[in-house]
Amino acid sequence: MVRRVLPVVALLLGLAPASHATAPGDLASALVRAAPAADPRVITLATRALQCVQKAMPARTLSVIDYSRPSTQPRLWVFDLAHRTLLFKELVAHGRNSGDNLASHFSNAPGSLMSSLGTFVTDGTYVGHNGYSLRLKGLDEGFNDNAESRAIVIHGASYVSPLFASSEGRLGRSWGCPAVRRGVAKRLIDTIKDRSVVFAYYPDPRWLKQSSTLGDCGTEVTAGLERATVPRRTLLSP
């Protein structure tokens, strides 16, 4: 039986709960102003999920991916929450089996080669076959909580670029990872690698209805954060 562990999570992460929380509506309005090209409804949902996570740990940045947009358009926004400013507006790839230029299929299953929806927290960097990469831990049970075992990470890729999009009519596709431009990958990862929330959106009715972080923010979310424990240091891997 899962216990409510909000204070314990904060201790495990070596963090202190925020002394006060920003009203979700106020924050959403500020972020919408900072990123007028983004869909305000998606930003509002992302701030709702952020508030859920912030019950257990403070966050410095919020990254929002809108998979309802074509891969040829910028659909990743990264916000500085303290200053309510936009740090990045970027292209981002989706999984090979999620769709062509437009994503329409999402999965939490190992081997699916699809992107996953939901709320993630960043969970340490490493260097692997895709170079410098950032682990993601999914908090929405049944939708993205296999992210770690599936090796769903943020990394740079040569197939994410305006030139590739212009040539092929779409970005290249990953095995489910939200891959970004190689030229921005290290800077973006270093910006969001600590105390950060990543929110991946698509208007999927089942996810919108059943998401742990968009719902009552119950024990599934706090249990997911507890499993994250202390953020890992940068590791080297083959």
Side-chain angles (χ1 to χ4, degrees):
M1 178 176 172
V2 181
R3 296 176 292 112
R4 292 186 177 274
V5 290
L6 292 173
V8 176
V9 173
L11 288 173
L12 286 171
L13 292 170
L15 307 173
S19 58
H20 64 278
T22 302
D26 293 343
L27 178 61
S29 297
L31 300 189
V32 167
R33 288 193 296 272
D39 187 331
R41 296 167 297 181
V42 176
I43 299 299
T44 298
L45 283 175
T47 57
R48 185 196 304 178
L50 172 70
Q51 290 287 316
C52 176
V53 175
Q54 286 182 319
K55 291 182 179 181
M57 57 168 272
R60 292 174 176 161
T61 64
L62 171 65
S63 303
V64 180
I65 301 172
D66 185 353
Y67 282 128
S68 70
R69 296 193 171 198
S71 69
T72 51
Q73 296 181 8
R75 53 180 182 173
L76 164 63
W77 296 266
V78 179
F79 299 96
D80 179 320
L81 294 173
H83 299 95
R84 302 184 177 191
T85 55
L86 180 65
L87 301 176
F88 298 90
K89 182 177 75 172
E90 287 292 328
L91 298 169
V92 62
H94 55 251
R96 180 178 301 176
N97 290 338
S98 282
D100 197 47
N101 185 32
L102 287 167
S104 58
H105 297 87
F106 301 88
S107 177
N108 191 38
S112 67
L113 305 188
M114 295 185 195
S115 298
S116 296
L117 301 175
T119 306
F120 305 80
V121 291
T122 56
D123 194 32
T125 60
Y126 69 99
V127 178
H129 69 277
N130 285 312
Y132 191 48
S133 304
L134 178 63
R135 292 185 178 89
L136 298 175
K137 180 171 287 293
L139 300 180
D140 280 332
E141 185 175 7
F143 294 97
N144 68 6
D145 57 336
N146 286 331
E148 190 171 32
S149 63
R150 294 180 62 204
I152 300 302
V153 301
I154 295 177
H155 63 80
S158 60
Y159 53 76
V160 181
S161 73
L163 182 61
F164 191 104
S166 176
S167 172
E168 303 296 327
R170 60 165 172 79
L171 295 184
R173 293 161 299 173
S174 67
W175 283 16
C177 296
V180 298
R181 291 186 298 120
R182 278 185 173 170
V184 77
K186 187 177 189 306
R187 185 161 56 93
L188 187 149
I189 288 171
D190 282 343
T191 299
I192 70 172
K193 65 183 179 181
D194 295 319
R195 305 187 193 182
S196 185
V197 174
V198 178
F199 181 79
Y201 167 84
Y202 184 81
D204 178 81
R206 189 172 71 89
W207 167 67
L208 289 169
K209 182 178 181 180
Q210 298 179 17
S211 163
S212 302
T213 52
L214 295 178
D216 62 2
C217 191
T219 54
E220 297 90 347
V221 176
T222 54
L225 283 166
E226 184 179 39
R227 289 192 296 271
T229 64
V230 178
R232 286 175 280 193
R233 301 286 184 182
T234 300
L235 303 174
L236 294 177
S237 70

